[in-house]
Amino acid sequence: MGLFGSGKFDEEKLQERVAKALDEMGLTVESVSENDGALHVGCFQGGSGLSSFKNLSLTIEGVIGFLQANDREIVDVKASPCGSGDSIMSQLVTVLYR
């Protein structure tokens, strides 16, 4: 365990963020493998923080990679600001896929 933080490696943290995003979208390997050709949408909330755009980009990349690895076509991806506080803002990411 690290002196400051959880002691997790960056790759492990990224995997956790992608898994959380997939869970928020309601996606599992089983549900994605049932390709019906219809248009689907999934949303997840990207966190905020000091390096949030880097983390958000890597998380989106992980979600898209998961969908493409399961033979899904990405139609569109949008990130929109949502939720705010004094200096905190997060992003709502919407992914359209077939």
Side-chain angles (χ1 to χ4, degrees):
M1 184 161 166
L3 183 59
F4 301 102
S6 64
K8 295 180 182 176
F9 295 105
D10 288 342
E11 182 66 28
E12 190 176 341
K13 290 179 186 177
L14 174 59
Q15 289 175 352
E16 288 177 1
R17 285 194 308 272
V18 171
K20 181 179 181 221
L22 293 170
D23 184 54
E24 288 180 15
M25 292 174 68
L27 294 177
T28 63
V29 173
E30 294 81 21
S31 69
V32 170
S33 66
E34 299 170 10
N35 194 340
D36 58 8
L39 187 64
H40 297 273
V41 64
C43 297
F44 66 92
Q45 186 171 356
S48 57
L50 196 52
S51 60
S52 65
F53 287 117
K54 177 183 176 185
N55 289 339
L56 182 61
S57 295
L58 292 171
T59 303
I60 293 171
E61 180 71 23
V63 169
I64 289 172
F66 173 81
L67 289 167
Q68 289 176 332
N70 286 283
D71 298 324
R72 294 304 186 108
E73 172 192 358
I74 306 303
V75 176
D76 195 16
V77 178
K78 293 209 183 318
S80 308
C82 75
S84 61
D86 292 338
S87 62
I88 299 173
M89 185 161 267
S90 62
Q91 301 288 321
L92 176 67
V93 179
T94 305
V95 180
L96 290 173
Y97 62 96
R98 184 178 323 264

